[in-house]
């Protein structure tokens, strides 16, 4: 291990600020773009012609961002080094007709997005955030970051067996939050409230993509503050680390042997099949246009992708002290033990032996330890954007991440050191 980590606890403090400021994928990519702008990157529109000049550029599309840095003198066939991540998290999302209620309660109709731990959303103070589409064709981000909604749990007096038989939640009947009192439920009340909150004219909002979020801020936890509790670590922890790593790698300028890339996609939690998901055309389009903008041909594109490697960075499972039998007996990743390398022989993760060597070299260069995760044979394995990226683009891909507890909860738990260890490993990888 040749270099000490270049990020420290200040990186984790900054992660906590990033999590708090990014209640939705739209806010997350806006915050990532702002950080890249400060590092000298500039936004390019997909509808414009691109030039082949050196420097940092990025594309925003909905809740996704792809950013890349072209070193001075890079050839058209120069390979890419990609950090892949996703911006979405399981949550509750507002339905097209949101205004509902019963028995004197005013409620918001929500749909379940992804695979959340439903019980973690009960009896929690919730805000509301997302993207408003306006009559003039523009969009506006909105964030009501105060206690606005709550999904109330049934009292134990009315469900005496809840602790012995387990909590059973019906997604339609039991997960609709309350947000006030009143017998007269009128269509348009919620959107009118958000128009007023955002300083918009009445009736100017014609579309919306809104989601609920816990308003309790991220916090250090434990006797020595060695843990971090917070929302949306899966997978904004990786988006934040990838953004920091790309900005750091860009500082190397013409010394870079590769073109470093950050690709943070939306919709991973429901299959990635969208125009902003990893199974869509966004990444391939950006890489191809980057090659062509530098005067390259289809042959150059093929050469560039043949030498490209992607680290698919997503959170993984730390060994749970109360459920250790659910883990593989010889693979027990621990928090603050460094990033994990995810392996599954059935290609639920994209890692193979050659990919392991690439990641091991990056960690050695960064002075960062790493661990290996493999599922218990009796437990189904999750998946990531890694296999999708490998199959769609023919790119060698390695699945990695930070080990956490309470994955898919409204509030997750990681070690305080792991975020900056991951950022250092990603930086070393991008720098080659």
């Amino acid at each position: 291990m040749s270099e000490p980590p270049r990020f420290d606890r200040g990186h984790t403090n900054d992660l906590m600020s990033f999590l708090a400021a990014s209640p939705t994928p739209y806010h997350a990519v806006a915050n990532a773009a702002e950080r890249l702008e400060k590092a000298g990157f500039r936004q390019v529109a997909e509808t414009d012609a691109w030039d082949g000049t050196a420097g940092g550029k990025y594309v925003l599309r909905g809740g996704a961002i792809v950013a890349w840095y072209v070193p001075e003198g890079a050839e058209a066939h120069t390979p890419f080094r990609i950090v892949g991540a996703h911006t979405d998290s399981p949550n509750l999302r507002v339905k097209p007709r949101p205004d509902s209620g019963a028995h004197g309660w005013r409620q918001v109709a929500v749909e379940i997005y992804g695979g959340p731990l439903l019980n973690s959303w009960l009896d929690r103070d919730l805000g509301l955030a997302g993207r408003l589409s306006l009559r003039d064709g523009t969009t506006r981000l909105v964030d009501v970051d105060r206690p606005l909604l709550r999904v109330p749990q049934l009292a134990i007096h009315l469900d005496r067996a809840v602790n012995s038989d387990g909590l059973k939640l019906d997604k339609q009947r039991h997960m609709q939050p309350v947000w006030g009192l009143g017998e007269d439920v009128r269509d348009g009340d919620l959107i009118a409230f958000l128009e007023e909150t955002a300083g918009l004219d009445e009736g100017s909002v014609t579309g919306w993509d809104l989601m609920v979020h816990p308003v309790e801020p991220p916090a250090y936890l434990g006797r020595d503050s060695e843990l971090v509790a917070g929302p949306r670590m899966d997978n904004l922890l990786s988006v934040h680390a990838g953004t920091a790593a790309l900005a750091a790698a860009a500082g190397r300028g013409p010394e870079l042997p590769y073109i470093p890339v950050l690709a943070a996609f939306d919709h991973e939690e429901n299959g990635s099949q969208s125009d902003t998901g990893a199974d869509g055309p966004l990444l391939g389009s950006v890489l191809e246009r980057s090659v062509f903008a530098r005067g390259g041909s289809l042959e150059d594109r093929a050469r560039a992708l043949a030498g490209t490697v992607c680290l698919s960075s997503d959170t993984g499972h730390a060994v749970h002290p109360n459920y250790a039998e659910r883990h593989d007996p010889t693979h027990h990743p621990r928090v603050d033990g460094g990033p994990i390398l995810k392996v599954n022989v059935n290609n639920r993760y994209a890692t193979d032996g050659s990919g392991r060597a690439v990641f091991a070299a990056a960690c050695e260069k960064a002075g960062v330890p790493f661990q290996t995760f493999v599922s218990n044979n009796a437990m189904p394995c999750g998946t990531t954007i890694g296999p999708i990226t490998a199959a769609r683009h023919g790119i060698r891909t390695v699945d990695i991440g930070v080990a956490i507890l309470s994955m898919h909860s409204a509030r997750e738990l990681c070690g305080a050191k792991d975020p900056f260890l991951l950022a250092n490993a990603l930086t070393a990888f991008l720098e080659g």
Side-chain angles (χ1 to χ4, degrees):
M1 297 183 180
S2 57
E3 297 181 11
R6 68 181 70 185
F7 297 110
D8 55 21
R9 199 174 180 100
H11 175 87
T12 304
N13 293 337
D14 190 61
L15 166 65
M16 294 163 70
S17 298
F18 185 81
L19 293 173
S22 305
T24 75
Y26 313 110
H27 290 81
V29 298
N31 289 323
E34 181 180 3
R35 290 158 189 258
L36 291 172
E37 289 271 0
K38 291 179 180 177
F41 286 68
R42 62 181 177 86
Q43 184 176 1
V44 294
E46 292 185 82
T47 53
D48 291 344
W50 292 3
D51 60 53
T53 57
K57 304 176 179 68
Y58 67 90
V59 165
L60 289 180
R61 184 192 290 184
I65 182 171
V66 179
W68 66 103
Y69 180 84
V70 179
E72 194 73 46
E75 298 186 76
H77 61 267
T78 298
F80 301 92
R81 281 284 175 104
I82 304 168
V83 170
H86 67 88
T87 60
D88 60 321
S89 302
N91 58 14
L92 312 179
R93 302 205 172 188
V94 175
K95 288 185 174 181
R97 294 187 64 184
D99 299 291
S100 68
H103 307 290
W105 293 98
R106 299 178 69 186
Q107 294 175 275
V108 174
V110 297
E111 192 173 1
I112 309 302
Y113 177 83
L117 287 169
L118 293 178
N119 64 293
S120 70
W121 291 86
L122 302 179
D123 296 333
R124 191 180 290 275
D125 295 339
L126 303 171
L128 189 65
R131 178 179 65 175
L132 301 174
S133 297
L134 309 185
R135 193 175 299 279
D136 63 5
T138 62
T139 60
R140 179 76 65 86
L141 297 184
V142 64
D143 181 11
V144 184
D145 193 29
R146 66 171 177 84
L148 179 69
L149 309 103
R150 185 181 179 94
V151 183
Q153 187 170 187
L154 186 64
I156 193 170
H157 312 80
L158 304 178
D159 187 8
R160 294 287 184 177
V162 64
N163 288 331
S164 57
D165 295 348
L167 178 65
K168 297 178 177 62
L169 294 171
D170 183 284
K171 293 180 179 180
Q172 178 62 38
R173 293 185 295 124
H174 299 152
M175 296 305 299
Q176 308 307 310
V178 300
W179 76 303
L181 300 174
E183 297 288 351
D184 184 18
V185 176
R186 298 180 301 272
D187 280 346
D189 277 358
L190 180 67
I191 299 306
F193 164 75
L194 293 175
E195 287 173 336
E196 181 181 2
T197 300
L200 298 169
D201 293 337
E202 183 179 354
S204 60
V205 173
T206 56
W208 52 87
D209 301 281
L210 300 168
M211 54 204 75
V212 172
H213 67 275
V215 298
E216 183 183 3
Y220 285 106
L221 184 146
R223 186 193 68 178
D224 299 317
S225 299
E226 67 265 53
L227 299 169
V228 175
R232 299 176 296 279
M233 291 183 183
D234 178 13
N235 185 33
L236 294 188
L237 190 158
S238 294
V239 174
H240 176 262
T243 302
L246 178 60
R252 287 278 305 274
E255 300 176 28
L256 292 171
Y258 303 102
I259 295 173
V261 179
L262 169 67
F265 302 102
D266 201 352
H267 302 133
E268 188 271 349
E269 298 293 355
N270 63 6
S272 296
Q273 291 186 322
S274 71
D275 68 323
T276 54
D279 203 18
L282 181 58
L283 176 60
S285 173
V286 168
L287 299 183
E288 183 173 74
R289 292 183 68 178
S290 175
V291 170
F292 292 168
R294 285 175 279 122
S297 62
L298 286 174
E299 178 72 10
D300 291 313
R301 172 190 175 278
R303 293 176 65 189
L305 294 188
T308 292
V309 185
C310 173
L311 289 189
S312 165
S313 182
D314 201 347
T315 53
H317 302 293
V319 61
H320 196 301
N322 299 336
Y323 301 91
E325 73 281 359
R326 302 294 182 97
H327 299 263
D328 182 81
T330 60
H331 295 79
H332 282 176
R334 298 188 177 193
V335 296
D336 278 351
I340 56 174
L341 181 76
K342 301 179 183 181
V343 178
N344 178 261
V345 295
N346 292 302
N347 281 350
R348 300 289 285 173
Y349 303 130
T351 306
D352 63 10
S354 64
R356 184 189 193 281
V358 172
F359 184 59
C363 288
E364 182 176 4
K365 177 184 176 183
V368 169
F370 74 92
Q371 311 172 80
T372 304
F373 171 83
V374 65
S375 290
N376 184 310
N377 288 342
M379 303 292 295
C381 178
T383 190
T384 68
I385 66 166
I388 294 171
T389 303
R392 182 171 181 84
H393 306 292
I395 292 172
R396 181 165 39 150
T397 303
V398 189
D399 272 298
I400 66 161
V402 161
I404 69 171
L405 291 183
S406 305
M407 187 184 295
H408 285 201
S409 172
R411 196 168 176 85
E412 297 163 324
L413 187 70
C414 77
K417 297 178 182 177
D418 277 334
F420 69 79
L421 293 177
L422 174 65
N424 279 277
L426 296 182
T427 301
F429 165 75
L430 290 179
E431 292 179 347

